[in-house]
Structure formats: structure tokens, C-alpha cells
């Protein structure tokens, strides 16, 4: 796990009789002073050590900028050969469609962006998000100001795409809130601000209400605190989606320039997909497991979840809901909910790659998780903790439901977050670790950046000691051989 502050980058290497299988999952950074090529530089060093500058699989776990941005320099390095890439299966929610139409491959943004020859598909998508922001901004700031876009677009010599991106970034900065905290919030799977669409008649009362309100909008000072929270949350979510889409577009275009095979995989509800490394085609092929080859179990996202975020409400209906609900509505972050959940296995060792997964796909109903997905999880020996150790309740509940804490094998929890992060590791993570260690002291925690002492109080003994001189930051490296797992690199002391 590379140290990238509140970003993510994992390099996995599986040794086989036919050579090494190399996988890169994300290469994003989120910190000032960290160049977009940070992961590329460190990855190059690791590949040089192995004697082969080749990546069999690149994974973009989801379309957050802080997970994708650093992939572009890696892909553009022609000294690194690339087998294929899996991009997140997020659908284009700007182009409207009948609510009862089934999702198709061509509805997914990665493939639309791959076929975009002049940037028009991207601009069209961003314009749709900008239109949504315009409607929300009528209420979040004085109507005469509209949005920050109008001021930016007046400036001479700035291209349309540049203007749009500047506007989205400015919107994110102007809206009050805790971006870092939101990055680690539990991903709610209730309806939130953008619930799935139903027949239009279901929302008629919201639509009529907001049309009247837009004709004579109240001043922000006359909007209740709960309503303003809902509106600003909607604004931030929309701006983030646009920024993340641009990051996804850049990665897809880099793959296209290198002629790299691109896929987006989706599971059917509650049914894992199993891919096995095929030594002839040099790919992970969907079929039964093979004991002598690395395998990949895909546990999310599901078709119904991708469809749910595709079928979001038009923003006008969501505005109506925001004004007619008495309590603040949290926004749904599609990128996190749609994050890949993957379990790699080789030599009976399991590695869980989660990105920022909300794990809501595991819910069979409100009272239980899918038995087939739970049974596909264990055993786990190395775990990328979802949401950087943030307050993602489903992640911890899923592992508990799978009886992960009761497994006898030692396991290593890897966390990547900012140095002395204000919000991480969360209380939920602390409770999860402390409860798990009650079954025995076989859960080990490793950090790429030093956490605040108060955030790890109570489970300091679970933190692996520094290898060599202790530092505030550093990469984590684990290696497995006949004697088991060894921590080769870890800089952060308990």
C-alpha cells in the first residue's frame, strides 16, 4: 500500500510457476504537495525490483478523483506494458431514460467516454451537472448571483471544459461542509436526496411545489437550517460527481491511447462472480476456481445498485423533497456505493480490495446480509479498510456477519489516510478492532500515515511496530512465503 495521504493505491503481486501476476488497484492522491505522479514514481521502483515493468490488471475501484488521478501517468508510461483495465460501472445519470428500461453496456460512462473522440460526451455530461447546480444555487445563494459558473464563463480566453471544471471546484470550495468528513461517512442506502425514480405521478406534488417556489424563491436567510443542509449537500454531491467524472474520463482516454482492453464488471444481485487467472490468455477469466492460480471473486457492485443510481430523481423533484421534509436529507455518494469489492486469493490466502465501498450490496433485506456474498469473503489475511477507516458501518457489520473476527488466522488491516486525520480512524473502526481482538490478538493494524493518539486509544497493542526507524509516513509492504506473512515495510509506530 503506497502512502498517498487521503488517497489510495495498492500493488498486488502473485507468484506463479509461469511468472508473476501484477495488479494495481487505484493510484490516487489527496494532499497538497503530492504530485499526480507520486504513485507512478514509487510503482516504477517496485517494478524495477521485480525485473518486469508489466501490469496484468489495472483496477479503478470507483470514480473518485482521489483514487483515479494518479493512474494517468502510470498508463502513459510506455515502458510499462498493461494487460487490461477494469473501470467502475457507473451509468450516465444525465441522459434521461424511461424508469423501467434495463441498463445496457452503452449506458455506462466508461464506455461512453472511451468512444468520445472530441470531448463532447464529457462536456455534455458536465453541462448536465451544471444545469442541476444552477437550479440548486437559486436557493443556496442570492438569486441575482446564480452560480459561480456565470462569473467564470465571462472571463476571456478560457475554454468551455476549463470553465466548467473551475466552476465545479469553486462550488465545492464555496459550499460549507466537511469534505474530509463526508469522504468517510457511512453510505446510506435509504432514499436520500437522489432516490430511484418511480412513475412520474409519484412525485407530482414535489414537482408542482418546486415550480412555484422557483418562480419566487426565498432568500437564503429565510430557508431553515435543515433545508439549507439538504441543499448544500445536494450541491456538493453534484459538483463532486462532475469532478470525479473528469478524472474517470482522463483515465479512460489514457487507456484508449495505449489501446488497452477495458472492462466494467457487474454482479447479479447476491451472486459473486469468480475469475481465475488464465496463463495462456494472461487475463482473469470468468469460470470456476483453480487451486494453483490466483483467483478474483467480485462481490460488488450489483446490477440493481448500478441501476438505482442511474434511475436517480430529476433534480427538481429532489429539490421539492428537500423543502418538504422536516429533517435534513443526506446525499448519496454514487461513486462510493458503486465501488468494486474484490477478494483475491492465491495459495489459500485472501486479500480484500474495497476502495471506498459502502458494502450496501451485501444487504439482502433490511435485516440480513446475503449468505452467498458473506460465504465468499473468508478467509481474509490482508484487508484494505474501506473509506480509509471512516464511519462506514456496513463494512464492519459485513465482516462481523461473515464471522471474520472468529477466524484463527492472523490478518492485517491496512489503512491509508491523512497524517493525524481529523476524522479517522473512526469510532466505528475502533469498536470493530477491539471487539474482534476479544476473540484473540490475531488482528493487526498498519498505517501509511500517523494517526492521532486519541483516535487509536484502546487498541494501540494491535498496531504493528515500525520496521526500522519510526516516521510519520511510509509505504506498507507485506510478503508471504512458506513461513507465512511478514511485514517488510511499516513506518508508523503505535
Amino acid at each position: 500500500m503506497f502512502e498517498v495521504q487521503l488517497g489510495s493505491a495498492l500493488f498486488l503481486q502473485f507468484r506463479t510457476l509461469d511468472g508473476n501476476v501484477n495488479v494495481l488497484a487505484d493510484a490516487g492522491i489527496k494532499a497538497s504537495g503530492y504530485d499526480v505522479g507520486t504513485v507512478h514514481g514509487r510503482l516504477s521502483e517496485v517494478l524495477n525490483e521485480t525485473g518486469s515493468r508489466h501490469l496484468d490488471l489495472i483496477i479503478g475501484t470507483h470514480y473518485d478523483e482521489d483514487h483515479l488521478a494518479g493512474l494517468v501517468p502510470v498508463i502513459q508510461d510506455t515502458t510499462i506494458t498493461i494487460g487490461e483495465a477494469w473501470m467502475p460501472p457507473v451509468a450516465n445519470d444525465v441522459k434521461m431514460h424511461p424508469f423501467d428500461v434495463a441498463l445496457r453496456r452503452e449506458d455506462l460512462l466508461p464506455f461512453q467516454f472511451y468512444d468520445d473522440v472530441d470531448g463532447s460526451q464529457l462536456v455534455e455530461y458536465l453541462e448536465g451537472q451544471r444545469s442541476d447546480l444552477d437550479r440548486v444555487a437559486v436557493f443556496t445563494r442570492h438569486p441575482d448571483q446564480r452560480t459561480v459558473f456565470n462569473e467564470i464563463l465571462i472571463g476571456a480566453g478560457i475554454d468551455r471544459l476549463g470553465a466548467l471544471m473551475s466552476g465545479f471546484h469553486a462550488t465545492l470550495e464555496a459550499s460549507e461542509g466537511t469534505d474530509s468528513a463526508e469522504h468517510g461517512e457511512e453510505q446510506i442506502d435509504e432514499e436520500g436526496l437522489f432516490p430511484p425514480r418511480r412513475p412520474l405521478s409519484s412525485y407530482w406534488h414535489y414537482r408542482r411545489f418546486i415550480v412555484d417556489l422557483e418562480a419566487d424563491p426565498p432568500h437564503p436567510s429565510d430557508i431553515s437550517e435543515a433545508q439549507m443542509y439538504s441543499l448544500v449537500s445536494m450541491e456538493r454531491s453534484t459538483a463532486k460527481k462532475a469532478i470525479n467524472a473528469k478524472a474517470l474520463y482522463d483515465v479512460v482516454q489514457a487507456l484508449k491511447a495505449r489501446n488497452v482492453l477495458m472492462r466494467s464488471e457487474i454482479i447479479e444481485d447476491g451472486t459473486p462472480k469468480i475469475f481465475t487467472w488464465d496463463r495462456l490468455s494472461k487475463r482473469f477469466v470468468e469460470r470456476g476456481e483453480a487451486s494453483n492460480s490466483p483467483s478474483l471473486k467480485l462481490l460488488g457492485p450489483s446490477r440493481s445498485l448500478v441501476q438505482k443510481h442511474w434511475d436517480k430523481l430529476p433534480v427538481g423533484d429532489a429539490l421539492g423533497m428537500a423543502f418538504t421534509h422536516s429533517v435534513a436529507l443526506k446525499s448519496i455518494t454514487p461513486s462510493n456505493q458503486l465501488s468494486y469489492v474484490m477478494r483475491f486469493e492465491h495459495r489459500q490466502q485472501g486479500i480484500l480490495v474495497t476502495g471506498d465501498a459502502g458494502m450496501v450490496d451485501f444487504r439482502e433485506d433490511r435485516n440480513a446480509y446475503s449468505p452467498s456474498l458473506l460465504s465468499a469473503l473468508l478467509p481474509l489475511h490482508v484487508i484494505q479498510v474501506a473509506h480509509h477507516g471512516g464511519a462506514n458501518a456496513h463494512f464492519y457489520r459485513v465482516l462481523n456477519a461473515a464471522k471474520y473476527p472468529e477466524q484463527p488466522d492472523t490478518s492485517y488491516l491496512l489503512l491509508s489516510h491523512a497524517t493525524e486525520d481529523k476524522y479517522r480512524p473512526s469510532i466505528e473502526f475502533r469498536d470493530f478492532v477491539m471487539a474482534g481482538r476479544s476473540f484473540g490478538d490475531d488482528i493487526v493494524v498498519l498505517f501509511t500515515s500517523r494517526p492521532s493518539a486519541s483516535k487509536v486509544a484502546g487498541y494501540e497493542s494491535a498496531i504493528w511496530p515500525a520496521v526500522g526507524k519510526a516516521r510519520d509516513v511510509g509505504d506498507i509492504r507485506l510478503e508471504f512465503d512458506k513461513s507465512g506473512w511478514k511485514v517488510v515495510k511499516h513506518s508508523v509506530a503505535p
Side-chain angles (χ1 to χ4, degrees):
M1 176 178 271
F2 295 109
E3 187 277 306
V4 286
Q5 294 292 290
L6 191 56
S8 180
L10 289 169
F11 175 71
L12 314 179
Q13 182 175 84
F14 305 95
R15 296 170 185 152
T16 75
L17 294 176
D18 299 302
N20 296 333
V21 178
N22 296 334
V23 178
L24 176 65
D26 295 332
I29 54 100
K30 190 170 185 180
S32 59
Y34 283 64
D35 184 80
V36 70
T38 296
V39 174
H40 173 236
R42 295 185 196 170
L43 175 67
S44 290
E45 295 175 5
V46 174
L47 292 177
N48 288 340
E49 289 178 26
T50 67
S52 174
R53 294 179 64 80
H54 178 73
L55 294 173
D56 295 283
L57 176 61
I58 288 178
I59 301 167
T61 60
H62 60 298
Y63 77 129
D64 266 6
E65 185 183 35
D66 59 353
H67 286 248
L68 292 180
L71 285 175
V72 175
V74 173
I75 298 167
Q76 290 177 335
D77 185 348
T78 55
T79 70
I80 300 175
T81 55
I82 303 170
E84 65 176 338
W86 287 20
M87 291 293 105
V90 56
N92 186 334
D93 59 355
V94 166
K95 292 182 178 179
M96 296 302 295
H97 61 277
F99 77 97
D100 56 350
V101 168
L103 185 74
R104 304 164 301 174
R105 175 184 181 277
E106 53 264 35
D107 297 315
L108 298 178
L109 274 179
F111 297 109
Q112 292 181 2
F113 287 166
Y114 196 91
D115 295 333
D116 191 359
V117 295
D118 57 2
S120 58
Q121 290 276 1
L122 174 63
V123 171
E124 178 183 325
Y125 182 82
L126 298 180
E127 288 283 12
Q129 301 297 351
R130 184 213 166 183
S131 177
D132 283 357
L133 280 179
D134 274 336
R135 296 190 69 179
V136 181
V138 169
F139 304 102
T140 56
R141 53 182 62 88
H142 195 276
D144 291 340
Q145 295 178 344
R146 297 293 290 178
T147 70
V148 293
F149 290 98
N150 293 335
E151 297 178 8
I152 292 172
L153 293 172
I154 292 173
I158 187 166
D159 65 282
R160 188 69 180 173
L161 178 58
L164 285 168
M165 294 311 300
S166 296
F168 290 122
H169 282 287
T171 297
L172 209 55
E173 293 170 4
S175 60
E176 294 184 2
T178 52
D179 180 38
S180 295
E182 288 173 6
H183 194 249
E185 281 184 357
E186 175 183 353
Q187 295 306 297
I188 58 173
D189 59 336
E190 284 68 39
E191 289 199 334
L193 286 179
F194 292 116
R197 285 190 295 139
R198 300 189 182 96
L200 296 180
S201 58
S202 302
Y203 297 103
W204 183 244
H205 56 296
Y206 294 134
R207 184 170 295 104
R208 293 190 62 182
F209 175 79
I210 203 64
V211 167
D212 293 339
L213 206 60
E214 284 180 311
D216 185 21
H219 191 274
S221 61
D222 297 324
I223 298 174
S224 73
E225 183 176 351
Q227 290 169 344
M228 185 57 74
Y229 180 95
S230 298
L231 295 169
V232 172
S233 182
M234 186 189 303
E235 194 173 50
R236 291 179 65 81
S237 178
T238 303
K240 279 176 153 183
K241 280 201 299 180
I243 292 169
N244 293 339
K246 175 60 166 60
L248 176 62
Y249 181 88
D250 291 342
V251 173
V252 168
Q253 287 296 307
L255 291 171
K256 181 179 179 179
R258 290 285 308 273
N259 199 30
V260 175
L261 175 67
M262 186 183 73
R263 298 159 67 180
S264 285
E265 294 289 344
I266 302 173
I267 67 168
E268 299 305 322
D269 294 2
T271 306
K273 269 188 179 181
I274 301 175
F275 300 83
T276 301
W277 177 253
D278 182 78
R279 63 185 183 87
L280 297 178
S281 63
K282 302 293 184 182
R283 294 175 56 203
F284 283 94
V285 178
E286 186 178 359
R287 62 187 183 199
E289 295 176 271
S291 59
N292 61 344
S293 297
S295 65
L296 185 168
K297 287 184 180 178
L298 184 63
L299 307 177
S302 68
R303 184 173 301 279
S304 64
L305 187 63
V306 177
Q307 180 95 26
K308 169 185 173 179
H309 288 289
W310 188 41
D311 289 343
K312 73 160 194 173
L313 273 175
V315 70
D317 296 333
L319 280 169
M321 292 183 70
F323 274 102
T324 54
H325 280 63
S326 59
V327 297
L329 300 174
K330 289 184 177 181
S331 64
I332 293 171
T333 307
S335 60
N336 290 352
Q337 285 209 4
L338 295 172
S339 182
Y340 280 129
V341 180
M342 298 174 165
R343 181 187 180 275
F344 288 89
E345 182 173 324
H346 190 41
R347 298 183 184 177
Q348 292 78 52
Q349 302 300 300
I351 301 175
L352 186 63
V353 176
T354 63
D356 281 344
M359 309 294 273
V360 297
D361 251 330
F362 278 71
R363 292 190 74 170
E364 193 170 56
D365 54 47
R366 291 188 176 273
N367 301 311
Y369 293 110
S370 165
S372 59
L373 293 179
L374 292 178
S375 63
L377 269 175
L378 300 185
L380 289 174
H381 301 90
V382 180
I383 299 174
Q384 177 196 19
V385 179
H387 284 219
H388 313 270
N392 175 20
H394 281 303
F395 173 74
Y396 309 119
R397 292 171 189 160
V398 163
L399 289 180
N400 284 331
K403 301 188 182 302
Y404 152 75
E406 300 174 33
Q407 74 173 29
D409 297 349
T410 298
S411 56
Y412 300 82
L413 307 183
L414 278 54
L415 283 90
S416 171
H417 61 60
T419 304
E420 292 199 334
D421 193 288
K422 186 178 179 180
Y423 305 100
R424 299 170 193 76
S426 65
I427 294 174
E428 290 82 358
F429 177 75
R430 180 195 66 193
D431 293 344
F432 169 72
V433 172
M434 293 179 69
R437 282 173 67 83
S438 67
F439 289 95
D441 59 354
D442 53 359
I443 294 179
V444 176
V445 183
L446 302 100
F447 293 92
T448 58
S449 304
R450 176 171 50 82
S452 299
S454 61
K455 295 293 184 182
V456 297
Y459 63 93
E460 297 92 338
S461 61
I463 304 174
W464 192 266
V467 178
K469 183 179 179 180
R471 294 181 297 162
D472 287 346
V473 298
D475 297 344
I476 299 170
R477 181 182 291 188
L478 305 178
E479 292 184 1
F480 178 80
D481 59 23
K482 292 180 180 179
S483 61
W485 285 96
K486 296 178 181 177
V487 179
V488 179
K489 283 186 179 181
H490 184 236
S491 298
V492 180

